[in-house]
């Protein structure tokens, strides 16, 4: 038995060495011929660089006009922000004010006695219950009314002139919720 296993090992070594000897042949003759053909070609011509045209200088003659990067008198005038609508600086932020309104999803409503709530799903997957007086979104959106299929709210946004203005907004019941999908 010892001799049989030694014979198998010897046969395997012999077969392996014969296979390796067969790999040592020179099979690159066609590659050498192709390389020699490429080297024998005459060198190609490089086209000359294009001529650079001189640019005519431009004389800026509007130095006496207002600098467009400096605010005009009208833009720097104090706005009516202190007199009109503005967000409450003492307002304590609610959890759903951390998310933009378009990322929040209304997923349902429920009533208990005379109290009615809407269910809002935040982007992090948490579901919150809200009612009139709660805040939603990043624009100081205050809930005015709850409906079975939507929430009506008013946001306070900047008017672009240093003041604030109100904007009506709503959040509709998510389609997934009405089709029986996952809220």
């Amino acid at each position: 038995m010892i001799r049989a296993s030694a014979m198998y090992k010897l046969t395997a070594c012999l077969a392996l060495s014969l296979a390796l000897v067969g790999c040592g042949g020179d099979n690159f003759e066609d590659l050498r011929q192709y390389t020699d053909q490429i080297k024998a070609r005459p060198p190609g011509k490089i086209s000359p660089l294009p001529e650079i045209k001189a640019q005519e200088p431009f004389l800026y003659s509007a130095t006496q006009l207002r600098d467009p990067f400096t605010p005009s008198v009208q833009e720097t005038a104090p706005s009516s922000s202190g007199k009109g609508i503005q967000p409450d600086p003492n307002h304590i932020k609610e959890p759903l004010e951390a998310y933009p309104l378009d990322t929040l999803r209304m997923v349902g409503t429920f009533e208990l006695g005379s109290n009615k709530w809407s269910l809002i799903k935040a982007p992090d997957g948490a579901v919150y219950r809200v009612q009139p007086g709660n805040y939603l979104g990043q624009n100081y959106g205050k809930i005015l009314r709850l409906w079975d299929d939507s929430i009506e709210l008013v946001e306070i946004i900047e008017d672009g002139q240093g003041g604030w203005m109100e904007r009506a907004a709503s959040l509709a019941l998510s389609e997934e919720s009405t089709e029986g999908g996952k809220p």
Side-chain angles (χ1 to χ4, degrees), residues 133-146:
N134 287 123
Y135 288 83
L136 295 177
Q138 296 175 329
N139 292 323
Y140 308 98
K142 187 173 184 179
I143 298 174
L144 301 176
R145 289 178 202 84
L146 301 178

Side-chain angles (χ1 to χ4, degrees), residues 50-177:
E51 289 185 32
I52 299 174
K53 296 178 184 176
Q55 295 292 323
E56 185 177 323
F58 176 77
L59 182 60
Y60 184 72
S61 61
T63 55
Q64 72 278 8
L65 297 177
R66 181 183 69 83
D67 180 5
F69 302 104
T70 309
S72 68
V73 176
Q74 181 183 20
E75 293 170 355
T76 58
S79 68
S80 61
S81 62
K83 300 174 185 172
I85 298 164
Q86 57 185 342
D88 181 7
N90 299 322
H91 166 70
I92 298 171
K93 294 275 187 179
E94 295 183 19
L96 291 174
E97 289 183 89
Y99 306 103
L101 188 62
D102 62 348
T103 63
L104 300 174
R105 303 178 68 202
M106 179 181 173
V107 293
T109 59
F110 72 94
E111 291 183 44
L112 184 61
S114 63
N115 294 326
K116 183 174 185 175
W117 289 279
S118 286
L119 300 175
I120 304 295
K121 184 175 183 182
D124 65 359
V127 178
Y128 297 87
R129 66 179 185 175
V130 295
Q131 60 188 50
N134 287 123
Y135 288 83
L136 295 177
Q138 296 175 329
N139 292 323
Y140 308 98
K142 187 173 184 179
I143 298 174
L144 301 176
R145 289 178 202 84
L146 301 178
W147 305 101
D148 289 337
D149 60 349
S150 66
I151 297 173
E152 187 179 320
L153 55 122
V154 63
E155 295 179 312
I156 299 175
I157 59 170
E158 293 186 56
D159 64 3
Q161 298 179 356
W164 299 88
M165 61 186 244
E166 288 185 338
R167 173 177 68 183
S170 65
L171 190 62
L173 183 65
S174 171
E175 287 185 27
E176 288 181 359
S177 301

